[in-house]
PDB file of all heavy atoms in Angstrom:
ATOM      1  N   PHE A   8     109.819 136.313  54.352  1.00 98.00           N
ATOM      2  CA  PHE A   8     111.229 135.930  54.535  1.00 98.00           C
ATOM      3  C   PHE A   8     111.524 135.587  55.991  1.00 98.00           C
ATOM      4  O   PHE A   8     111.141 136.253  56.846  1.00 98.00           O
ATOM      5  CB  PHE A   8     112.217 137.092  54.155  1.00 98.00           C
ATOM      6  CG  PHE A   8     113.696 136.718  54.355  1.00 98.00           C
ATOM      7  CD1 PHE A   8     114.304 135.832  53.597  1.00 98.00           C
ATOM      8  CD2 PHE A   8     114.288 137.209  55.518  1.00 98.00           C
ATOM      9  CE1 PHE A   8     115.521 135.371  53.854  1.00 98.00           C
ATOM     10  CE2 PHE A   8     115.594 136.844  55.798  1.00 98.00           C
ATOM     11  CZ  PHE A   8     116.223 135.995  54.921  1.00 98.00           C
ATOM     12  N   SER A   9     112.252 134.441  56.193  1.00 98.00           N
ATOM     13  CA  SER A   9     112.459 133.964  57.529  1.00 98.00           C
ATOM     14  C   SER A   9     113.854 133.357  57.581  1.00 98.00           C
ATOM     15  O   SER A   9     114.079 132.364  56.870  1.00 98.00           O
ATOM     16  CB  SER A   9     111.499 132.924  58.020  1.00 98.00           C
ATOM     17  OG  SER A   9     111.624 132.509  59.270  1.00 98.00           O
ATOM     18  N   ALA A  10     114.755 133.923  58.359  1.00 98.00           N
ATOM     19  CA  ALA A  10     116.131 133.425  58.369  1.00 98.00           C
ATOM     20  C   ALA A  10     116.248 132.343  59.451  1.00 98.00           C
ATOM     21  O   ALA A  10     117.032 131.400  59.317  1.00 98.00           O
ATOM     22  CB  ALA A  10     117.172 134.539  58.716  1.00 98.00           C
ATOM     23  N   THR A  11     115.491 132.463  60.592  1.00 98.00           N
ATOM     24  CA  THR A  11     115.611 131.426  61.597  1.00 98.00           C
ATOM     25  C   THR A  11     114.352 130.775  62.042  1.00 98.00           C
ATOM     26  O   THR A  11     114.243 130.170  63.129  1.00 98.00           O
ATOM     27  CB  THR A  11     116.312 132.140  62.896  1.00 98.00           C
ATOM     28  OG1 THR A  11     115.426 133.167  63.479  1.00 98.00           O
ATOM     29  CG2 THR A  11     117.624 132.768  62.592  1.00 98.00           C
ATOM     30  N   GLY A  12     113.253 130.819  61.166  1.00 98.00           N
ATOM     31  CA  GLY A  12     112.098 130.102  61.398  1.00 98.00           C
ATOM     32  C   GLY A  12     110.885 130.719  62.058  1.00 98.00           C
ATOM     33  O   GLY A  12     109.746 130.157  61.995  1.00 98.00           O
ATOM     34  N   ASN A  13     111.019 131.887  62.779  1.00 98.00           N
ATOM     35  CA  ASN A  13     109.920 132.411  63.531  1.00 98.00           C
ATOM     36  C   ASN A  13     108.869 132.946  62.549  1.00 98.00           C
ATOM     37  O   ASN A  13     107.632 132.642  62.721  1.00 98.00           O
ATOM     38  CB  ASN A  13     110.380 133.538  64.398  1.00 98.00           C
ATOM     39  CG  ASN A  13     111.382 133.062  65.472  1.00 98.00           C
ATOM     40  OD1 ASN A  13     111.287 132.016  65.916  1.00 98.00           O
ATOM     41  ND2 ASN A  13     112.174 134.009  66.009  1.00 98.00           N
ATOM     42  N   THR A  14     109.299 133.684  61.582  1.00 99.00           N
ATOM     43  CA  THR A  14     108.228 134.210  60.652  1.00 99.00           C
ATOM     44  C   THR A  14     107.652 133.168  59.790  1.00 99.00           C
ATOM     45  O   THR A  14     106.420 133.222  59.493  1.00 99.00           O
ATOM     46  CB  THR A  14     108.984 135.281  59.655  1.00 99.00           C
ATOM     47  OG1 THR A  14     109.662 136.180  60.517  1.00 99.00           O
ATOM     48  CG2 THR A  14     107.937 136.082  58.932  1.00 99.00           C
ATOM     49  N   GLU A  15     108.364 132.043  59.583  1.00 98.00           N
ATOM     50  CA  GLU A  15     107.785 130.905  58.858  1.00 98.00           C
ATOM     51  C   GLU A  15     106.656 130.279  59.685  1.00 98.00           C
ATOM     52  O   GLU A  15     105.667 129.934  59.121  1.00 98.00           O
ATOM     53  CB  GLU A  15     108.966 129.897  58.621  1.00 98.00           C
ATOM     54  CG  GLU A  15     108.448 128.618  57.963  1.00 98.00           C
ATOM     55  CD  GLU A  15     109.423 127.937  57.102  1.00 98.00           C
ATOM     56  OE1 GLU A  15     110.477 127.823  57.528  1.00 98.00           O
ATOM     57  OE2 GLU A  15     108.982 127.572  55.981  1.00 98.00           O
ATOM     58  N   SER A  55     108.220 139.324  57.488  1.00 99.00           N
ATOM     59  CA  SER A  55     109.642 139.208  57.559  1.00 99.00           C
ATOM     60  C   SER A  55     110.132 139.232  58.994  1.00 99.00           C
ATOM     61  O   SER A  55     109.428 139.901  59.890  1.00 99.00           O
ATOM     62  CB  SER A  55     110.429 140.367  56.797  1.00 99.00           C
ATOM     63  OG  SER A  55     111.796 140.192  56.923  1.00 99.00           O
ATOM     64  N   GLY A  56     111.165 138.620  59.308  1.00 98.00           N
ATOM     65  CA  GLY A  56     111.898 138.878  60.561  1.00 98.00           C
ATOM     66  C   GLY A  56     112.453 140.272  60.442  1.00 98.00           C
ATOM     67  O   GLY A  56     112.619 140.807  59.397  1.00 98.00           O
ATOM     68  N   VAL A  57     112.811 140.813  61.701  1.00 98.00           N
ATOM     69  CA  VAL A  57     113.452 142.251  61.690  1.00 98.00           C
ATOM     70  C   VAL A  57     114.823 141.980  61.881  1.00 98.00           C
ATOM     71  O   VAL A  57     115.322 141.218  62.711  1.00 98.00           O
ATOM     72  CB  VAL A  57     112.853 143.016  62.877  1.00 98.00           C
ATOM     73  CG1 VAL A  57     113.701 144.320  63.132  1.00 98.00           C
ATOM     74  CG2 VAL A  57     111.399 143.380  62.601  1.00 98.00           C
ATOM     75  N   TYR A  58     115.685 142.486  60.994  1.00 98.00           N
ATOM     76  CA  TYR A  58     117.105 142.459  61.099  1.00 98.00           C
ATOM     77  C   TYR A  58     117.705 143.874  60.951  1.00 98.00           C
ATOM     78  O   TYR A  58     117.596 144.573  59.910  1.00 98.00           O
ATOM     79  CB  TYR A  58     117.672 141.553  59.895  1.00 98.00           C
ATOM     80  CG  TYR A  58     116.895 140.283  59.847  1.00 98.00           C
ATOM     81  CD1 TYR A  58     115.947 140.268  58.769  1.00 98.00           C
ATOM     82  CD2 TYR A  58     117.041 139.199  60.630  1.00 98.00           C
ATOM     83  CE1 TYR A  58     115.071 139.125  58.710  1.00 98.00           C
ATOM     84  CE2 TYR A  58     116.330 138.118  60.509  1.00 98.00           C
ATOM     85  CZ  TYR A  58     115.302 138.031  59.537  1.00 98.00           C
ATOM     86  OH  TYR A  58     114.541 136.856  59.463  1.00 98.00           O
ATOM     87  N   HIS A  59     118.254 144.367  62.055  1.00 97.00           N
ATOM     88  CA  HIS A  59     118.673 145.774  62.166  1.00 97.00           C
ATOM     89  C   HIS A  59     117.565 146.692  61.718  1.00 97.00           C
ATOM     90  O   HIS A  59     117.738 147.589  60.848  1.00 97.00           O
ATOM     91  CB  HIS A  59     119.963 145.934  61.300  1.00 97.00           C
ATOM     92  CG  HIS A  59     120.997 144.920  61.634  1.00 97.00           C
ATOM     93  ND1 HIS A  59     121.606 144.939  62.882  1.00 97.00           N
ATOM     94  CD2 HIS A  59     121.465 143.806  60.973  1.00 97.00           C
ATOM     95  CE1 HIS A  59     122.445 143.918  62.931  1.00 97.00           C
ATOM     96  NE2 HIS A  59     122.390 143.222  61.822  1.00 97.00           N
ATOM     97  N   TRP A  60     116.450 146.461  62.368  1.00 97.00           N
ATOM     98  CA  TRP A  60     115.300 147.341  62.199  1.00 97.00           C
ATOM     99  C   TRP A  60     114.473 147.229  60.894  1.00 97.00           C
ATOM    100  O   TRP A  60     113.474 147.880  60.722  1.00 97.00           O
ATOM    101  CB  TRP A  60     115.555 148.829  62.547  1.00 97.00           C
ATOM    102  CG  TRP A  60     116.578 149.013  63.564  1.00 97.00           C
ATOM    103  CD1 TRP A  60     116.784 148.264  64.767  1.00 97.00           C
ATOM    104  CD2 TRP A  60     117.547 149.981  63.581  1.00 97.00           C
ATOM    105  NE1 TRP A  60     117.835 148.732  65.425  1.00 97.00           N
ATOM    106  CE2 TRP A  60     118.377 149.752  64.703  1.00 97.00           C
ATOM    107  CE3 TRP A  60     117.964 151.088  62.794  1.00 97.00           C
ATOM    108  CZ2 TRP A  60     119.419 150.570  65.171  1.00 97.00           C
ATOM    109  CZ3 TRP A  60     119.081 151.888  63.113  1.00 97.00           C
ATOM    110  CH2 TRP A  60     119.761 151.651  64.307  1.00 97.00           C
ATOM    111  N   THR A 100     108.162 139.606  62.684  1.00 99.00           N
ATOM    112  CA  THR A 100     108.542 139.049  64.052  1.00 99.00           C
ATOM    113  C   THR A 100     109.813 139.781  64.424  1.00 99.00           C
ATOM    114  O   THR A 100     110.702 139.981  63.605  1.00 99.00           O
ATOM    115  CB  THR A 100     108.674 137.505  64.029  1.00 99.00           C
ATOM    116  OG1 THR A 100     109.870 137.208  63.235  1.00 99.00           O
ATOM    117  CG2 THR A 100     107.422 136.750  63.502  1.00 99.00           C
ATOM    118  N   TYR A 101     109.939 140.039  65.665  1.00 98.00           N
ATOM    119  CA  TYR A 101     111.033 140.850  66.147  1.00 98.00           C
ATOM    120  C   TYR A 101     111.368 140.562  67.578  1.00 98.00           C
ATOM    121  O   TYR A 101     110.582 140.063  68.310  1.00 98.00           O
ATOM    122  CB  TYR A 101     110.691 142.306  66.039  1.00 98.00           C
ATOM    123  CG  TYR A 101     109.589 142.802  67.107  1.00 98.00           C
ATOM    124  CD1 TYR A 101     110.047 143.508  68.208  1.00 98.00           C
ATOM    125  CD2 TYR A 101     108.325 142.457  67.040  1.00 98.00           C
ATOM    126  CE1 TYR A 101     109.168 143.858  69.169  1.00 98.00           C
ATOM    127  CE2 TYR A 101     107.392 142.767  67.887  1.00 98.00           C
ATOM    128  CZ  TYR A 101     107.765 143.578  69.060  1.00 98.00           C
ATOM    129  OH  TYR A 101     106.832 143.864  69.957  1.00 98.00           O
ATOM    130  N   GLY A 102     112.629 140.891  67.955  1.00 98.00           N
ATOM    131  CA  GLY A 102     113.131 140.617  69.354  1.00 98.00           C
ATOM    132  C   GLY A 102     112.934 141.774  70.258  1.00 98.00           C
ATOM    133  O   GLY A 102     112.634 141.613  71.428  1.00 98.00           O
ATOM    134  N   GLY A 103     113.068 142.934  69.766  1.00 98.00           N
ATOM    135  CA  GLY A 103     112.783 144.158  70.590  1.00 98.00           C
ATOM    136  C   GLY A 103     113.662 144.367  71.830  1.00 98.00           C
ATOM    137  O   GLY A 103     113.342 145.074  72.715  1.00 98.00           O
ATOM    138  N   THR A 104     114.878 143.726  71.815  1.00 98.00           N
ATOM    139  CA  THR A 104     115.685 143.719  73.014  1.00 98.00           C
ATOM    140  C   THR A 104     116.109 145.118  73.447  1.00 98.00           C
ATOM    141  O   THR A 104     116.068 145.502  74.623  1.00 98.00           O
ATOM    142  CB  THR A 104     117.038 142.941  72.752  1.00 98.00           C
ATOM    143  OG1 THR A 104     116.664 141.670  72.251  1.00 98.00           O
ATOM    144  CG2 THR A 104     117.955 142.753  73.948  1.00 98.00           C
ATOM    145  N   GLY A 107     112.274 147.714  72.203  1.00 98.00           N
ATOM    146  CA  GLY A 107     110.928 147.220  72.230  1.00 98.00           C
ATOM    147  C   GLY A 107     110.368 147.304  70.783  1.00 98.00           C
ATOM    148  O   GLY A 107     111.061 147.127  69.782  1.00 98.00           O
ATOM    149  N   GLU A 110     111.506 148.863  67.438  1.00 98.00           N
ATOM    150  CA  GLU A 110     112.441 148.198  66.413  1.00 98.00           C
ATOM    151  C   GLU A 110     111.673 147.516  65.358  1.00 98.00           C
ATOM    152  O   GLU A 110     112.263 147.264  64.231  1.00 98.00           O
ATOM    153  CB  GLU A 110     113.231 147.143  67.162  1.00 98.00           C
ATOM    154  CG  GLU A 110     114.095 147.795  68.275  1.00 98.00           C
ATOM    155  CD  GLU A 110     115.139 146.829  68.806  1.00 98.00           C
ATOM    156  OE1 GLU A 110     115.827 146.142  68.039  1.00 98.00           O
ATOM    157  OE2 GLU A 110     115.205 146.593  70.025  1.00 98.00           O
ATOM    158  N   ALA A 111     110.333 147.308  65.590  1.00 98.00           N
ATOM    159  CA  ALA A 111     109.600 146.542  64.533  1.00 98.00           C
ATOM    160  C   ALA A 111     108.919 147.496  63.601  1.00 98.00           C
ATOM    161  O   ALA A 111     108.671 147.144  62.407  1.00 98.00           O
ATOM    162  CB  ALA A 111     108.555 145.685  65.233  1.00 98.00           C
ATOM    163  N   ILE A 135     104.866 140.760  65.916  1.00 98.00           N
ATOM    164  CA  ILE A 135     104.822 139.616  66.690  1.00 98.00           C
ATOM    165  C   ILE A 135     106.182 139.265  67.293  1.00 98.00           C
ATOM    166  O   ILE A 135     107.165 139.298  66.510  1.00 98.00           O
ATOM    167  CB  ILE A 135     104.353 138.402  65.799  1.00 98.00           C
ATOM    168  CG1 ILE A 135     102.953 138.776  65.192  1.00 98.00           C
ATOM    169  CG2 ILE A 135     104.323 137.111  66.589  1.00 98.00           C
ATOM    170  CD1 ILE A 135     102.656 138.121  63.912  1.00 98.00           C
ATOM    171  N   VAL A 136     106.344 139.062  68.531  1.00 98.00           N
ATOM    172  CA  VAL A 136     107.595 138.882  69.207  1.00 98.00           C
ATOM    173  C   VAL A 136     108.165 137.488  68.781  1.00 98.00           C
ATOM    174  O   VAL A 136     107.471 136.515  68.659  1.00 98.00           O
ATOM    175  CB  VAL A 136     107.529 139.006  70.707  1.00 98.00           C
ATOM    176  CG1 VAL A 136     108.885 138.657  71.400  1.00 98.00           C
ATOM    177  CG2 VAL A 136     107.038 140.377  71.115  1.00 98.00           C
ATOM    178  N   GLY A 137     109.473 137.531  68.441  1.00 98.00           N
ATOM    179  CA  GLY A 137     110.183 136.301  68.007  1.00 98.00           C
ATOM    180  C   GLY A 137     111.548 136.195  68.716  1.00 98.00           C
ATOM    181  O   GLY A 137     112.314 137.123  68.666  1.00 98.00           O
ATOM    182  N   ALA A 138     111.821 135.042  69.194  1.00 98.00           N
ATOM    183  CA  ALA A 138     113.048 134.739  69.943  1.00 98.00           C
ATOM    184  C   ALA A 138     114.246 134.835  69.002  1.00 98.00           C
ATOM    185  O   ALA A 138     114.208 134.590  67.900  1.00 98.00           O
ATOM    186  CB  ALA A 138     113.059 133.360  70.589  1.00 98.00           C
ATOM    187  N   PHE A 139     115.478 135.188  69.585  1.00 98.00           N
ATOM    188  CA  PHE A 139     116.651 135.080  68.941  1.00 98.00           C
ATOM    189  C   PHE A 139     117.099 133.586  68.968  1.00 98.00           C
ATOM    190  O   PHE A 139     116.914 133.007  70.066  1.00 98.00           O
ATOM    191  CB  PHE A 139     117.733 135.940  69.604  1.00 98.00           C
ATOM    192  CG  PHE A 139     117.597 137.504  69.421  1.00 98.00           C
ATOM    193  CD1 PHE A 139     116.715 138.131  70.219  1.00 98.00           C
ATOM    194  CD2 PHE A 139     118.253 138.093  68.447  1.00 98.00           C
ATOM    195  CE1 PHE A 139     116.511 139.552  70.099  1.00 98.00           C
ATOM    196  CE2 PHE A 139     118.083 139.475  68.219  1.00 98.00           C
ATOM    197  CZ  PHE A 139     117.277 140.217  69.094  1.00 98.00           C
ATOM    198  N   HIS A 140     117.742 133.172  67.994  1.00 98.00           N
ATOM    199  CA  HIS A 140     118.252 131.694  68.007  1.00 98.00           C
ATOM    200  C   HIS A 140     119.752 131.738  67.764  1.00 98.00           C
ATOM    201  O   HIS A 140     120.356 132.764  67.389  1.00 98.00           O
ATOM    202  CB  HIS A 140     117.549 130.978  66.863  1.00 98.00           C
ATOM    203  CG  HIS A 140     116.091 130.953  67.098  1.00 98.00           C
ATOM    204  ND1 HIS A 140     115.454 130.154  68.008  1.00 98.00           N
ATOM    205  CD2 HIS A 140     115.003 131.510  66.382  1.00 98.00           C
ATOM    206  CE1 HIS A 140     114.231 130.261  67.948  1.00 98.00           C
ATOM    207  NE2 HIS A 140     113.836 131.106  66.933  1.00 98.00           N
ATOM    208  N   LEU A 143     122.918 134.196  68.949  1.00 97.00           N
ATOM    209  CA  LEU A 143     122.257 135.433  69.515  1.00 97.00           C
ATOM    210  C   LEU A 143     121.208 135.157  70.617  1.00 97.00           C
ATOM    211  O   LEU A 143     120.650 135.975  71.098  1.00 97.00           O
ATOM    212  CB  LEU A 143     121.637 136.304  68.441  1.00 97.00           C
ATOM    213  CG  LEU A 143     122.602 136.915  67.392  1.00 97.00           C
ATOM    214  CD1 LEU A 143     121.694 137.645  66.323  1.00 97.00           C
ATOM    215  CD2 LEU A 143     123.565 137.906  67.970  1.00 97.00           C
TER     216      LEU A 143
HETATM  217  C1  FMN B   1     121.143 139.220  62.522  1.00 71.36           C
HETATM  218  C2  FMN B   1     119.906 139.478  63.341  1.00 71.36           C
HETATM  219  C3  FMN B   1     119.546 140.866  63.565  1.00 71.36           C
HETATM  220  C4  FMN B   1     118.432 141.204  64.288  1.00 71.36           C
HETATM  221  N1  FMN B   1     118.153 142.427  64.519  1.00 71.36           N
HETATM  222  C5  FMN B   1     117.008 142.789  65.187  1.00 71.36           C
HETATM  223  C6  FMN B   1     116.645 144.231  65.404  1.00 71.36           C
HETATM  224  O1  FMN B   1     117.258 145.133  65.008  1.00 71.36           O
HETATM  225  N2  FMN B   1     115.487 144.401  66.179  1.00 71.36           N
HETATM  226  C7  FMN B   1     114.792 143.491  66.676  1.00 71.36           C
HETATM  227  O2  FMN B   1     113.700 143.709  67.242  1.00 71.36           O
HETATM  228  N3  FMN B   1     115.133 142.102  66.474  1.00 71.36           N
HETATM  229  C8  FMN B   1     116.208 141.805  65.758  1.00 71.36           C
HETATM  230  N4  FMN B   1     116.447 140.508  65.547  1.00 71.36           N
HETATM  231  C9  FMN B   1     115.652 139.435  66.058  1.00 71.36           C
HETATM  232  C10 FMN B   1     114.644 138.946  65.034  1.00 71.36           C
HETATM  233  O3  FMN B   1     113.945 139.961  64.459  1.00 71.36           O
HETATM  234  C11 FMN B   1     113.738 137.845  65.553  1.00 71.36           C
HETATM  235  O4  FMN B   1     114.403 136.835  66.102  1.00 71.36           O
HETATM  236  C12 FMN B   1     112.810 137.340  64.317  1.00 71.36           C
HETATM  237  O5  FMN B   1     111.779 136.615  64.956  1.00 71.36           O
HETATM  238  C13 FMN B   1     113.628 136.589  63.438  1.00 71.36           C
HETATM  239  O6  FMN B   1     112.703 136.129  62.358  1.00 71.36           O
HETATM  240  P1  FMN B   1     112.992 134.763  61.566  1.00 71.36           P
HETATM  241  O7  FMN B   1     113.171 133.618  62.553  1.00 71.36           O
HETATM  242  O8  FMN B   1     111.747 134.535  60.801  1.00 71.36           O
HETATM  243  O9  FMN B   1     114.174 135.002  60.784  1.00 71.36           O
HETATM  244  C14 FMN B   1     117.633 140.129  64.832  1.00 71.36           C
HETATM  245  C15 FMN B   1     117.940 138.851  64.585  1.00 71.36           C
HETATM  246  C16 FMN B   1     119.140 138.501  63.901  1.00 71.36           C
HETATM  247  C17 FMN B   1     119.463 137.031  63.601  1.00 71.36           C
END
Side-chain angles (χ1 to χ4, degrees):
F8 175 74
S9 181
T11 65
N13 295 334
T14 311
E15 175 149 47
S55 179
V57 169
Y58 315 97
H59 308 292
W60 325 324
T100 65
Y101 72 102
T104 305
E110 299 189 50
I135 301 146
V136 175
F139 289 84
H140 299 287
L143 295 178

